[in-house]
């Protein structure tokens, strides 16, 4: 969460059993928000690397993460009733980002971003792979950029 907050994102908006969603909307432009999300992913990746080095003797295994990033419009607000009220975000952008995060498992990578986001951020680093994928909930496939590790992003 600290990496998200340092990058001007709102972390912990929605907790799943095994994940966290972050919203980046505090900057002046969509491009700045996207770059902030990429920077947070890089910081998270560095943090995971340090954690794995610290705990490798204790666990005899490495923890792995998957990060999916997409840009677009979403609705943020409180949902639920009584004690079950939680702040969350909904919309196509949220769904696509979640599907990209899930796709990291199939691709054996740490980070997948939509090609539109990658192109907008004008990154100089080339992705490991660029490909079209079918995303549940969308009729047309989207093009994604796959990166082995977020810590290696040139941002």
């Amino acid at each position: 969460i600290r990496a998200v907050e340092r990058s001007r994102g709102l972390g912990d908006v929605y907790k799943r059993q095994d994940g966290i969603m972050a919203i980046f909307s505090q900057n002046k432009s969509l491009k700045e928000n996207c770059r902030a999300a990429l920077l947070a992913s890089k910081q998270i990746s560095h943090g995971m690397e340090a954690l794995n080095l610290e705990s490798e003797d204790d666990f005899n295994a490495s923890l792995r993460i998957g990060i999916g990033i997409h840009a677009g419009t979403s609705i943020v607000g409180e949902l639920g009733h009584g004690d079950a009220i939680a702040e969350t975000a909904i919309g196509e952008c949220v769904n696509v980002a979640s599907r990209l995060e899930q796709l990291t498992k199939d691709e054996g990578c740490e980070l997948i971003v939509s090609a539109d986001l990658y192109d907008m951020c004008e990154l100089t680093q080339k992705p490991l792979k660029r490909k079209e994928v079918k995303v549940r909930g969308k009729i047309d496939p989207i093009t994604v950029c796959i990166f082995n590790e977020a810590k290696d992003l040139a941002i």
Side-chain angles (χ1 to χ4, degrees):
I1 297 298
R2 287 191 190 110
V4 170
E5 291 170 346
R6 281 193 303 263
S7 299
R8 299 182 46 94
L10 301 173
D12 208 15
V13 172
Y14 170 68
K15 285 185 181 179
R16 296 183 312 172
Q17 185 175 357
D18 63 346
I20 295 172
M21 179 175 60
I23 303 293
F24 292 84
S25 61
Q26 297 183 41
N27 296 299
K28 295 179 182 173
S29 71
L30 181 60
K31 180 178 178 178
E32 288 176 314
N33 288 319
C34 293
R35 290 181 68 84
L38 291 168
L39 181 59
S41 73
K42 181 176 182 168
Q43 292 172 0
I44 291 166
S45 182
H46 277 293
M48 285 301 296
E49 180 181 47
L51 177 64
N52 279 327
L53 287 173
E54 268 182 40
S55 62
E56 65 186 349
D57 291 337
D58 295 332
F59 296 114
N60 234 4
S62 295
L63 298 172
R64 294 186 44 96
I65 59 170
I67 302 169
I69 306 176
H70 184 55
T73 303
S74 61
I75 299 169
V76 179
E78 292 181 345
L79 292 177
H81 180 13
D83 291 339
I85 292 177
E87 187 173 31
T88 191
I90 58 174
E92 180 184 5
C93 178
V94 174
N95 293 338
V96 170
S98 176
R99 303 298 184 256
L100 297 183
E101 178 267 326
Q102 292 168 8
L103 186 59
T104 62
K105 295 174 186 119
D106 295 336
E107 292 293 331
C109 67
E110 189 174 79
L111 174 66
I112 298 180
V113 303
S114 61
D116 290 343
L117 182 140
Y118 172 83
D119 294 340
M120 179 186 5
C121 289
E122 300 172 341
L123 297 179
T124 57
Q125 179 181 355
K126 299 292 181 211
L128 182 67
K129 192 181 339 179
R130 189 176 179 122
K131 71 185 233 181
E132 278 194 358
V133 297
K134 181 73 175 131
V135 176
R136 190 178 66 185
K138 287 191 65 70
I139 294 170
D140 296 324
I142 66 168
T143 303
V144 299
C145 296
I146 298 169
F147 297 89
N148 193 38
E149 293 183 315
K151 69 183 176 72
D152 296 332
L153 284 176
I155 187 164

